[in-house]
């Protein structure tokens, strides 16, 4: 049985100042998106900003519910907003950030598996990679050039279309 190796590629920046101005702007927009977070149970606010090909910025924030499975992550809120409001626009990039009053976040917060799967679906739909920035306001930033680096074995069953 062969042993395979999987390698992913990402960029890591030690500070906000190392980002180009376009990425800085998107990270700042993700901070703004956190202001609409409804997170009274976890007090863990997440904001996402998506940049569309037209230049429009679309926001998403986590929306909790007392029935925990009924909530939704910021990434999916933003992606589903694009899907329902701008279905023919290409998503160029997205920035995700988080904040809590309970502790200091010192590493980038990455997306959950469900969000990664939805990102992969949108990337497949538009046949174009989505650049993702995981922005830690008090630390480093991780940047990928597509979802395959984050979820290399995304579920993609082409026979379901038939």
């Amino acid at each position: 049985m062969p042993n395979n190796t999987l390698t992913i590629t990402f960029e890591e920046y030690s500070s906000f100042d190392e980002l180009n101005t376009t990425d800085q702007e998107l990270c700042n927009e993700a901070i703004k998106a956190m202001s609409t977070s409804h997170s009274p149970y976890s007090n863990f606010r997440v904001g996402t900003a998506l940049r569309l090909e037209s230049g429009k910025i679309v926001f998403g924030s986590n929306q909790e519910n007392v029935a925990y499975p009924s909530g939704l992550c910021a990434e999916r809120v933003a992606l589903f907003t694009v899907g329902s409001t701008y279905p023919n626009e290409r998503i160029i990039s997205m920035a995700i950030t988080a904040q809590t009053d309970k502790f200091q976040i010192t590493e980038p917060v990455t997306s959950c598996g469900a969000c990664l799967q939805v990102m992969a679906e949108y990337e497949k739909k538009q046949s174009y990679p989505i650049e993702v920035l995981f922005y830690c306001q008090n630390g480093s930033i991780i940047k990928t050039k597509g979802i395959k680096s984050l979820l290399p074995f995304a579920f993609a069953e082409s026979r379901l279309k038939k």
Side-chain angles (χ1 to χ4, degrees):
M1 175 166 44
N3 236 351
N4 297 313
T5 301
L6 180 65
T7 304
I8 64 166
T9 302
F10 64 95
E11 298 171 9
E12 186 171 13
Y13 300 87
S14 59
S15 76
F16 179 81
D17 297 329
E18 293 179 14
L19 296 173
N20 64 45
T21 55
T22 303
D23 289 345
Q24 286 180 353
E25 177 191 30
L26 198 59
C27 288
N28 282 328
E29 295 296 318
I31 292 171
K32 288 180 193 175
M34 279 192 306
S35 69
T36 62
S37 170
H38 178 70
S39 48
Y41 309 103
S42 71
N43 294 304
F44 192 81
R45 299 175 298 283
V46 182
T48 299
L50 304 179
R51 182 183 309 283
L52 303 181
E53 192 169 41
S54 66
K56 177 146 184 72
I57 304 292
V58 175
F59 298 104
S61 60
N62 58 320
Q63 301 296 312
E64 294 180 352
N65 189 283
V66 69
Y68 282 97
S70 300
L72 201 57
C73 299
E75 298 92 325
R76 284 181 281 159
V77 169
L79 289 161
F80 294 155
T81 298
V82 170
S84 63
T85 311
Y86 307 100
N88 299 315
E89 284 232 37
R90 185 184 290 179
I91 301 164
I92 301 301
S93 56
M94 63 191 296
I96 302 144
T97 194
Q99 188 173 36
T100 183
D101 299 330
K102 293 184 175 187
F103 54 88
Q104 184 176 8
I105 298 172
T106 58
E107 297 291 326
V109 174
T110 57
S111 301
C112 72
C115 287
L116 292 175
Q117 182 63 47
V118 172
M119 289 177 195
E121 180 76 15
Y122 275 81
E123 198 171 83
K124 180 181 175 194
K125 175 185 171 192
Q126 67 184 27
S127 300
Y128 188 84
I130 299 170
E131 187 173 88
V132 182
L133 292 124
F134 297 108
Y135 172 45
C136 178
Q137 296 170 60
N138 300 307
S140 62
I141 300 103
I142 295 171
K143 182 177 180 179
T144 68
K145 304 280 186 182
I147 308 309
K148 287 204 183 286
S149 289
L150 300 168
L151 189 65
F153 297 108
F155 178 73
E157 181 51 68
S158 60
R159 293 175 294 182
L160 290 174
K161 285 188 171 187
K162 295 179 184 176

